[in-house]
Amino acid sequence: MRRVLFPFVSRLVISFQYQPLIEALISALLGATLRYHHRAFPHRKWISDAYSYWDELRKTAHSVKAGVCQMSGYIFSSRDPAIVRNHYIEKVVPVYRSVTEPELRLCPGEWKYGSFFTTILAECRLYQPWATERFLENGGQIVKLDLNSFRELHGKYDVVVNCTGLGAKRLCSDHKLVPIRGQITKVRAPWVKTAFYADFDTYVIPGFEGVTLGGCRNYDSYNTDVCRHDAAAIRERCESLLPSLKSAPVLREAVGLRPHRDPVRVEIELVSTTEGALRVVHNYGHGGYGVTTAPGTAKYAVQLVYDALKSNSKL
């Protein structure tokens, strides 16, 4: 929340499982795979607002420390032209076009369809500690505690913003929220300067800390262990796309659970307690598009907080 909107607000992050640096799965290439999620993301403005946030950050002196830069990439498919189209982002980014015939031959394979785009890359392992530092520098606080119900917070805070991800499944008894497991491999391949996406959730994304190879989407899986079979399949698909990766040494492997909900939940709820109602602004369920869309949904959530505080002042 910005001081200009809330000069009188004390900002506090309460976490029952806080980690200064969560092992983020990938360097998110904003919007590259966000297609046809009109139900999950009902407000297109969330996408454009998020992109504007990342693009403005890219232009500042903080960009390197925050892990944000501009990057171009290709999406190829041999199956369906819809796979290489992105109606959400193609009108937002500076470049989004169909590939030429020579470009279809850049990577081995019988590619029939393709798009080239320029967008923003955000390295979560850098951005998250940077954002945490900024929050603390601006007077924010982080408190760790065990939380079993939002009702425990009644009387302590005027508004609670719920950004608990998969934790909302228990805290909100939200059965629409499911994990989608993902696994990646980070390799050292400094010669790769362009991102590539292909069929079967295959992607190669260069970043600040190596090149990310992915991926997989295991619906309703809570398995956080690295699977050697997934790792082998990822290497095989990525090396088929870019054969030079066969010589790239592995830096690390990681597994994460994406909190998926259809639709994403960004709304205010009055949680009833024995002593009255607690205002809770929910902001969770982004699935694999959290980095792409979070600044946009956060802006909307902040407006909900502002409206709640404004209505409270009139009582």
Side-chain angles (χ1 to χ4, degrees):
M1 302 176 192
R2 297 181 179 178
R3 288 277 186 201
V4 67
L5 279 179
F6 304 98
F8 52 87
V9 169
S10 174
R11 294 164 294 173
L12 181 74
V13 169
I14 299 176
S15 175
F16 54 89
Q17 197 176 13
Y18 178 75
Q19 294 174 285
L21 179 57
I22 294 174
E23 295 290 326
L25 272 183
I26 67 169
S27 308
L29 207 56
L30 306 186
T33 59
L34 184 63
R35 310 181 193 91
Y36 304 114
H37 289 269
H38 60 281
R39 286 182 59 202
F41 295 93
H43 300 289
R44 194 169 288 237
K45 194 173 186 299
W46 291 351
I47 312 298
S48 58
D49 283 347
Y51 185 87
S52 295
Y53 168 83
W54 291 115
D55 198 37
E56 288 302 313
L57 179 55
R58 174 186 67 84
K59 299 172 185 175
T60 70
H62 300 286
S63 59
V64 174
K65 189 174 182 181
V68 177
C69 68
Q70 191 172 70
M71 180 168 289
S72 295
Y74 289 94
I75 304 177
F76 294 127
S77 176
S78 60
R79 305 168 62 208
D80 189 340
I83 291 175
V84 304
R85 290 293 305 276
N86 190 325
H87 295 287
Y88 268 113
I89 205 74
E90 60 188 21
K91 294 181 181 179
V92 176
V93 299
V95 179
Y96 202 105
R97 61 168 175 80
S98 298
V99 300
T100 63
E101 283 296 325
E103 285 175 317
L104 282 175
R105 297 191 291 272
L106 285 174
C107 298
E110 300 297 322
W111 308 116
K112 298 178 182 178
Y113 317 102
S115 293
F116 174 84
F117 59 91
T118 297
T119 184
I120 307 296
L121 176 135
E123 186 86 54
C124 300
R125 284 168 58 91
L126 298 177
Y127 175 76
Q128 192 165 13
W130 174 83
T132 301
E133 182 180 318
R134 297 278 291 177
F135 174 75
L136 296 173
E137 287 176 352
N138 283 278
Q141 301 176 60
I142 296 173
V143 175
K144 306 175 188 178
L145 55 79
D146 292 325
L147 187 66
N148 297 307
S149 170
F150 287 120
R151 293 178 175 84
E152 298 172 24
L153 304 177
H154 184 268
K156 300 178 181 179
Y157 309 101
D158 296 305
V159 183
V160 174
V161 181
N162 173 25
C163 304
T164 55
L166 279 175
K169 189 175 184 71
R170 176 173 60 87
L171 283 172
C172 304
S173 298
D174 191 341
H175 301 295
K176 290 184 178 181
L177 190 63
V178 295
I180 298 182
R181 179 184 176 276
Q183 180 171 320
I184 58 94
T185 300
K186 282 275 191 179
V187 299
R188 183 179 291 112
W191 58 88
V192 179
K193 306 295 185 184
T194 303
F196 292 90
Y197 285 79
D199 295 327
F200 308 111
D201 204 30
T202 302
Y203 50 84
V204 177
I205 307 175
F208 289 81
E209 300 182 331
V211 176
T212 301
L213 310 184
C216 64
R217 294 175 186 268
N218 305 136
Y219 188 82
D220 204 18
S221 171
Y222 288 86
N223 179 18
T224 56
D225 295 329
V226 171
C227 172
R228 61 186 177 90
H229 302 294
D230 286 336
I234 288 169
R235 285 299 297 247
E236 181 181 1
R237 284 185 279 119
C238 291
E239 290 171 3
S240 296
L241 188 63
L242 289 183
S244 66
L245 291 172
K246 292 179 180 180
S247 62
V250 174
L251 298 175
R252 66 185 179 91
E253 296 173 311
V255 172
L257 305 180
R258 308 170 176 103
H260 172 77
R261 189 181 190 276
D262 190 356
V264 174
R265 191 178 187 189
V266 190
E267 63 184 7
I268 191 166
E269 178 187 9
L270 297 179
V271 177
S272 61
T273 74
T274 56
E275 299 176 350
L278 172 68
R279 294 176 176 87
V280 178
V281 173
H282 299 290
N283 185 15
Y284 66 86
H286 298 63
Y289 311 108
V291 181
T292 296
T293 60
T297 61
K299 183 177 179 179
Y300 185 76
V302 166
Q303 185 60 51
L304 293 177
V305 171
Y306 179 74
D307 293 342
L309 292 174
K310 191 166 59 173
S311 64
N312 189 48
S313 67
K314 294 179 181 179
L315 297 179

